[in-house]
Amino acid sequence: MSPHNTSEQLWSIILAGGEGSRMSAFVHRWLGRPTPKQYCAFVGTRSMFQHTLDRASRLTPPDRMVTVVARSHRHDALAQWGDRRGGTILFQPANRDTAAGLFLPLTYIRARAPEATVVLYPSDHFVYPEDRFLDAVQRAVRGAESRTDRVVMLGVAPDRLELDYGWIQPGRPLDSRNDEPVQTVRSFLEKPDTAQADAALRAGALWNTLVLAAKVDVLWKLGWQCLPDMMRRFEQLGQAIGGPDETHVLNAMYQDLPMHNLSSDLLQRVPDQLAVIELTGVLWSDWGKPERIAETLRRIDRRPAFPLTCLDHPFVPFPVTAPEAGLSLGMSFL
């Protein structure tokens, strides 16, 4: 399928450095060996990692894609990279949470294209249909390039209380084109308690997908504003890129690199510098728990690649007769 028309300054960042600890027992029961969730094919034949790479490649060419992988997952990542040509894979010496997962590739992009716009894609998400999802990503990119002081996020209308997600409270419209406005963010709350999540749900808040678009310099400034202890290390790495000490600097900085969560330690602190677009007509799920995977596949009438006996709790048998409202089942997840 041909790529969408996008800015020549657009870069993609794929986050694939997580350990997936909440999924590890389930995956081990299924496969009989420890395998990070992003490298698992829960339906069809492609893993979430491969789906994310293919999705991002529809908006940016390989030479403008940067993928972050744990060094300990090198074998899995390279095996699934396949015959893809171009692109940059960064092997993190250690997992230092999602803020480092963003700012490591951003350091390399900034060294090559400081005026770039970047899109962040977590590698453990399910989205369908992809065309509509990528249309929303493009709107976020246009928003980030026209409102160069903001990070533009994609949010999803919730259908239940969810304590593991971030909640975005939209504000006034910044751009109302196509009846799907870019809105300001009144507040951002990461992983609320039950009372906070209930209040957010009643107030019309959206779930944070962590898919976002922003100019490089906007993210860099926010990093310095919120996480100066971490950013000093990435500034040093940026100065070493391309030189003989690059690998040494990278390894050394990760020995005591502070751990910061991108959502709670940065985004939650700067709601006035965020914007949000509601992702409509798309089935989205963060596949961070086995029950979320099973529920998504039940809703779209797809049989999982894993036995249901691997789940911790009994689940609705497959298939079901009522498909997800508004979505066609003529889909392929090969």
Side-chain angles (χ1 to χ4, degrees), residues 23 26 30 40-46 48 51 125-128 160 283-287 289-308 311 315-325 327-329 331-334:
M23 293 276 287
F26 162 71
W30 170 31
C40 296
F42 296 106
V43 61
T45 59
R46 282 184 295 163
M48 292 193 291
H51 272 287
H125 291 182
F126 174 92
V127 296
Y128 183 84
R160 65 184 184 277
L283 180 58
W284 172 90
S285 181
D286 175 347
W287 278 8
K289 291 182 177 180
E291 54 267 31
R292 288 189 196 145
I293 299 174
E295 169 63 16
T296 301
L297 297 180
R298 184 192 66 81
R299 291 170 70 177
I300 63 172
D301 197 15
R302 293 284 296 188
R303 184 171 295 276
F306 54 85
L308 293 181
L311 297 171
F315 210 79
V316 176
F318 291 78
V320 296
T321 56
E324 178 71 6
L327 295 179
S328 167
L329 297 187
M331 57 184 76
S332 173
F333 300 110
L334 299 179

Side-chain angles (χ1 to χ4, degrees), residues 16-35:
E19 298 296 333
S21 56
R22 291 180 299 177
M23 293 276 287
S24 58
F26 162 71
V27 171
H28 199 278
R29 284 196 298 271
W30 170 31
L31 298 178
R33 64 184 186 278
T35 304

Side-chain angles (χ1 to χ4, degrees), residues 141-287:
V141 169
R142 290 194 294 269
E145 292 184 337
S146 62
R147 303 277 180 169
T148 56
D149 59 337
R150 291 182 185 264
V151 176
V152 183
M153 312 174 69
L154 294 187
V156 173
D159 57 11
R160 65 184 184 277
L161 284 181
E162 178 58 72
L163 305 185
D164 289 334
Y165 290 166
W167 291 72
I168 304 167
Q169 182 64 58
R172 61 180 176 82
L174 286 170
D175 181 358
S176 58
R177 287 176 295 180
N178 300 321
D179 298 322
E180 295 180 345
V182 180
Q183 296 173 270
T184 61
V185 172
R186 292 172 54 192
S187 63
F188 181 102
L189 183 61
E190 178 68 12
K191 295 183 179 177
D193 59 32
T194 302
Q196 291 172 322
D198 184 64
L201 182 64
R202 293 174 182 271
L206 305 173
W207 284 338
N208 172 34
T209 67
L210 204 59
V211 177
L212 58 83
K215 301 295 290 184
V216 167
D217 64 330
V218 170
L219 290 168
W220 204 259
K221 289 175 183 176
L222 290 178
W224 271 107
Q225 178 181 332
C226 300
L227 312 169
D229 57 343
M230 187 185 73
M231 294 304 295
R232 282 191 288 271
R233 276 63 175 262
F234 285 113
E235 285 280 6
Q236 293 170 355
L237 175 63
Q239 295 170 7
I241 288 175
D245 296 330
E246 177 183 342
T247 301
H248 171 75
V249 172
L250 176 63
N251 290 332
M253 65 181 280
Y254 266 83
Q255 292 180 4
D256 61 353
L257 187 68
M259 293 188 68
H260 291 297
N261 182 270
L262 178 61
S263 295
S264 58
D265 296 333
L266 192 152
L267 299 174
Q268 185 171 254
R269 296 175 58 185
V270 292
D272 59 325
Q273 293 178 268
L274 307 179
V276 63
I277 292 174
E278 182 177 350
L279 183 59
T280 59
V282 175
L283 180 58
W284 172 90
S285 181
D286 175 347
W287 278 8

Side-chain angles (χ1 to χ4, degrees), residues 9-11 13 102-103 105-119 144-145 148 150-151 213-224 231:
Q9 295 187 348
L10 183 63
W11 288 65
I13 294 174
L102 167 63
F103 282 100
L106 199 68
T107 301
Y108 281 83
I109 294 172
R110 185 170 179 256
R112 291 180 57 186
E115 303 299 319
T117 304
V118 298
V119 175
E145 292 184 337
T148 56
R150 291 182 185 264
V151 176
K215 301 295 290 184
V216 167
D217 64 330
V218 170
L219 290 168
W220 204 259
K221 289 175 183 176
L222 290 178
W224 271 107
M231 294 304 295

Side-chain angles (χ1 to χ4, degrees), residues 70-82:
R71 188 172 289 176
S72 59
H73 303 163
R74 181 185 184 95
H75 174 77
D76 289 310
L78 292 180
Q80 294 194 7
W81 191 264

